[in-house]
């Protein structure tokens, strides 16, 4: 789909690429206010889980928790938040957000109030991506 921001995100944010999975792509969120915050989105433009045939749906539903488990190994959060909304960007994508008891919005939702974005340096971003990639490869 040509006007879907998620369909172009892999190319638009190439510096944030973490992994290409069978059905999903994984990107680090540019705003790291919540350390480890990632996007997991389907390669194909699809808006609902029920639009996928059962084998594809099973694969997607294995890939999302595999990324969450990798984030858990790297960041050791108190809780992992999974957001699958699609109201504003109608392309199936998860916001995987490691949450910590000392984060300023704990235990409220991440969108409960605005925050100043945290942008990592290029080197910090690369290091974070490498840690997550390594955890994905070594469950």
């Amino acid at each position: 789909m040509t006007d879907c921001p998620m369909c172009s995100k892999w190319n638009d944010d190439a510096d944030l690429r973490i992994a290409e999975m069978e059905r999903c792509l994984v990107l680090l969120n540019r705003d790291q206010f919540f350390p480890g915050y990632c996007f997991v989105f389907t390669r194909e433009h699809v808006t609902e889980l029920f639009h996928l045939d059962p084998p594809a749906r099973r694969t997607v539903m294995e890939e999302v928790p595999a990324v969450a488990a990798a984030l858990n190994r790297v960041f050791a959060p108190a809780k992992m938040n999974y957001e699958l909304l699609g109201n504003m960007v109608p392309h199936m994508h998860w916001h995987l957000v490691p949450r910590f008891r000392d984060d300023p919005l704990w235990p409220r939702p991440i969108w409960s109030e605005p925050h100043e974005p945290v942008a990592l340096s290029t080197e910090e971003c690369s290091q974070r991506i490498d840690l997550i990639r390594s955890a994905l490869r070594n469950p």
Side-chain angles (χ1 to χ4, degrees):
M1 179 175 227
T2 57
D3 61 346
C4 172
M6 199 56 69
C7 285
S8 62
K9 195 163 186 60
W10 186 252
N11 291 325
D12 294 345
D13 292 334
D15 59 321
L16 301 174
R17 291 178 182 176
I18 295 172
E20 294 183 69
M21 304 176 99
E22 182 181 340
R23 291 280 176 179
C24 294
L25 301 170
V26 185
L27 286 176
L28 190 68
N29 185 14
R30 197 165 298 283
D31 176 7
Q32 286 292 290
F33 181 83
F34 300 100
Y37 183 164
C38 289
F39 298 108
V40 179
F41 54 100
T42 54
R43 288 174 171 268
E44 70 178 290
H45 183 83
V46 62
T47 59
E48 305 295 340
L49 275 169
F50 60 80
H51 292 159
L52 296 170
D53 62 46
R57 185 169 49 244
R58 278 191 293 276
T59 301
V60 167
M61 294 311 294
E62 289 298 322
E63 290 176 351
V64 172
V67 175
L71 293 173
N72 187 66
R73 284 191 293 283
V74 172
F75 297 98
K79 179 72 176 89
M80 183 66 61
N81 286 181
Y82 300 76
E83 296 281 347
L84 172 62
L85 303 170
N87 301 332
M88 294 182 70
V89 179
H91 179 128
M92 192 180 325
H93 66 285
W94 283 260
H95 298 253
L96 293 187
V97 188
R99 298 296 304 274
F100 303 88
R101 285 188 170 81
D102 63 350
D103 86 40
L105 300 182
W106 179 267
R108 294 169 293 147
I110 65 170
W111 292 296
S112 62
E113 65 184 74
H115 65 266
E116 279 299 313
V118 173
L120 302 178
S121 70
T122 302
E123 182 179 327
E124 291 170 317
C125 195
S126 273
Q127 290 170 347
R128 191 160 288 180
I129 288 168
D130 288 344
L131 287 170
I132 298 166
R133 277 186 189 143
S134 178
L136 271 170
R137 283 191 304 267
N138 303 301

